Each structure stands twice: as structure tokens, then as C-alpha cells.
Amino acid sequence: ELKVEQNPLFLSMQEGKNYTIYCNYSTTSDRLYWYRQDPGKSLESLFVLLSNGAVKQEGRLMASLDTKARLSTLHITAAVHDLSATYFCAVDSYTGANSKLTFGKGITLSVRP
Amino acid sequence: KAGVTQTPRYLIKTRGQQVTLSCSPISGHRSVSWYQQTPGQGLQFLFEYFSETQRNKGNFPGRFSGRQFSNSRSEMNVSTLELGDSALYLCASSMMGQGISEQFFGPGTRLTVL
């Protein structure tokens, strides 16, 4: 059974500083997704990573995927308050067209002045 | 383009009752997946429907069921509600399937079981 671990589960960030959060998973997969969730809201798709070495950037966030290490990182550059939210990674364990996403527990980021 | 819609947004039921939740996917999307989100268990996959067929299923009891109609709209049903069923139920639509193509989530239905 695929296990997805995110760490740390909570991160207090200082405005203007850089941080990296991690998503590890237990079985081979080259499909990984990052989502953001604000309190009381639904999930917003951030990044779709579909191959080893994939790197995507949007604003202050950059996500990468290393399928050999079974690891994805989400790098935050110069944190700002608007980035405070919970971030989930989800890994697809698929065989053929049969696909299933397993989510991590999420990392709650809080940016302080 | 309209997003994924879910109705109702909030629901309060009592133990033993049953409930039906509805999800309308983005136009052109054929896959609808359902998830349960709770503080303790996080986000857990319930099932996925594609072209009216259940394509994949998570580890939930048979009280949880679903279906998809020819217009891709989907419903999920929970019978004999238990307190532990209180959760945010999210549906997500994608063009080809939950892992194959990007998923877009609806706002969720918050179910409270008393």
C-alpha cells in the first residue's frame, strides 16, 4: 500500500525567508500533485509533476520531483503572509488506466512578520 | 468555464439516517472522484467514476456508494450514518482520470452527524 509522508506537519515561517518542505512516498510513481487548502476551503491545484526531474515554478513556489528518491520538494522563496495555508502532496499509484491518488497529511504553513 | 459544483454545501443529519450528495463536474470532464476529509484521517479516497462506471474504490464500508450519470454528474450516498461520518466530502473532476490528468476540486459538502 502506498504511503505518502509530508514533513514537517507544521512550519512557522518568517516573512522574507526561504524554506523547503518535503513529500516522501513509498512505492514507484512518476505522478505527483501539489495542492493548497485555505482554512474552510477546498483544494486548489498548484503543480502537476509527471516525470522524473520535473520542475515547476509559480511565483514564490517551486516544486520538483525525484522519482528515484521517491521525493518531491516544494521550495518557498521569500515567504509572504499570503502563502499561509495547508499544502498537500498526492501521489498516483497507477496500473494502466487504473489510477488512485493517495494524499499526505498536509503541511500547515504559517508566515509571521 | 464553470468549476466543479457540489450540493448541498452543508448538511446536518442524525445517526441512522442516510444522505445523498451531488457533484457536477467541469463541462467535458468524464471522471469524478470523491474524497472524505477529516482532521484525524486527512484526505481519503472514496471512489472514482468514469463514463458511468466505478473505476476505482477506496477502503470504505459498503454504506458508502456512488453513481455517475450519462451527463457525468455524480452522486454519493451514505446509509445508516454514524458519528464518524462527519466530514468534509470533496469531489474532484478531471478529463481522463484522477491520476492521468489534473483534478479540480469542488467546494465540498460539510456533513455533520449528530
Side-chain angles (χ1 to χ4, degrees):
Chain A
E1 183 186 327
L2 172 60
K3 292 193 188 315
V4 180
E5 292 186 357
Q6 293 186 250
N7 61 79
L9 292 182
F10 180 83
L11 183 60
S12 178
M13 305 189 293
Q14 191 171 353
E15 251 183 4
K17 293 203 167 178
N18 301 335
Y19 296 88
T20 300
I21 60 177
Y22 302 92
C23 173
N24 295 273
Y25 54 98
S26 61
T27 63
T28 304
S29 177
D30 57 3
R31 292 181 185 164
L32 189 141
Y33 301 79
W34 282 95
Y35 293 90
R36 168 184 170 143
Q37 187 176 39
D38 291 292
K41 305 285 187 183
S42 187
L43 275 73
E44 174 192 352
S45 178
L46 290 176
F47 298 108
V48 177
L49 303 170
L50 298 179
S51 62
N52 184 39
V55 177
K56 297 275 183 81
Q57 181 158 10
E58 180 73 35
R60 299 174 187 275
L61 301 177
M62 183 173 72
S64 63
L65 178 62
D66 181 343
T67 59
K68 292 177 184 172
R70 299 177 187 170
L71 172 71
S72 179
T73 60
L74 183 64
H75 187 73
I76 300 149
T77 301
V80 292
H81 180 71
D82 282 352
L83 293 178
S84 297
T86 299
Y87 292 80
F88 293 93
C89 65
V91 179
D92 182 20
S93 53
Y94 63 97
T95 52
N98 194 14
S99 189
K100 180 180 170 183
L101 282 186
T102 301
F103 282 78
K105 294 282 189 192
I107 297 175
T108 299
L109 303 183
S110 175
V111 181
R112 64 184 190 280
Chain B
K1 204 176 194 179
V4 180
T5 58
Q6 291 186 247
T7 57
R9 294 291 311 281
Y10 302 91
L11 210 44
I12 299 175
K13 292 285 188 179
T14 56
R15 276 180 299 175
Q17 287 187 309
Q18 76 163 23
V19 68
T20 299
L21 312 182
S22 180
C23 173
S24 292
I26 291 171
S27 177
H29 285 192
R30 295 162 66 189
S31 165
V32 173
S33 296
W34 288 89
Y35 298 87
Q36 181 196 66
Q37 186 177 28
T38 59
Q41 298 299 316
L43 269 157
Q44 293 185 287
F45 169 68
L46 280 155
F47 26 67
E48 181 198 9
Y49 286 87
F50 184 85
S51 293
E52 301 179 66
T53 301
Q54 186 180 87
R55 191 156 69 173
N56 213 337
K57 190 174 185 303
N59 297 325
F60 277 81
R63 299 185 297 107
F64 291 81
S65 62
R67 59 179 175 166
Q68 187 180 33
F69 302 94
S70 58
N71 62 357
S72 294
R73 189 176 71 83
S74 177
E75 289 182 346
M76 69 163 277
N77 185 77
V78 188
S79 62
T80 321
L81 283 166
E82 300 177 1
L83 294 178
D85 297 333
S86 294
L88 179 66
Y89 290 88
L90 294 163
C91 85
S93 79
S94 69
M95 204 165 284
M96 295 302 295
Q98 60 171 240
I100 303 164
S101 52
E102 190 176 5
Q103 280 194 115
F104 297 88
F105 282 79
T109 294
R110 186 162 296 281
L111 171 65
T112 303
V113 182
L114 303 175

